[in-house]
Amino acid sequence: MLGMTRGRLALAVATLVLAGCTSQLGPSAGFNTPDTVGPLPADYNAVAAEWVRASLKDPRRTLTVLPASPDIAACNISVLGKHFGWRVPVRYSVSAEEGCGDCNGEKTVYLWFSGGRVERQSYFPDQC
């Protein structure tokens, strides 16, 4: 009888602990909905160029901000879900002399605007 009481007590404690956990991953995890994306900022070209230049070893590299996605796009956050935003591709030049190994030519990075600012950056158009 004492063993059964301990089992129920352990089950009750486990239930309380799990009740405190949430399975809802929200904005703090990078998730949002298309309704919360908002408009693309009018100065997105300048913001995108500044964002990418800040991450480059040589900020004087040739950089081209390409047109944003015409509609709200989505990228996958691993297997957990999607992030919605305006996808803005930025192409920049790279060379082996700058410590990039064998990557000569151009690279493209994708910036995801949401809520009027850059929320995410990725190197693939559908992953973030």
Side-chain angles (χ1 to χ4, degrees), residues 3 25-28 36-37 43 45 48 52-53 70 83 86 94 105 116 124:
L25 294 173
S28 63
T36 61
V37 170
D43 64 343
N45 278 319
V52 173
R53 285 195 192 285
H83 175 80
W86 300 99
V94 293
F124 301 99

Side-chain angles (χ1 to χ4, degrees), residues 40-55 59 63-68 88-90 111 113 116-118:
L40 181 66
D43 64 343
Y44 81 90
N45 278 319
V47 172
E50 182 180 330
W51 178 279
V52 173
R53 285 195 192 285
S55 66
L63 184 137
T64 305
V65 178
L66 301 171
V88 176
V90 180
L111 302 181
F113 281 80
R117 64 177 198 254
V118 177

Side-chain angles (χ1 to χ4, degrees), residues 94-113:
V94 293
S95 68
E97 293 83 34
E98 296 168 356
C100 189
D102 63 349
C103 56
N104 283 315
E106 293 184 331
K107 256 188 160 175
T108 302
V109 64
Y110 298 89
L111 302 181
W112 295 86
F113 281 80

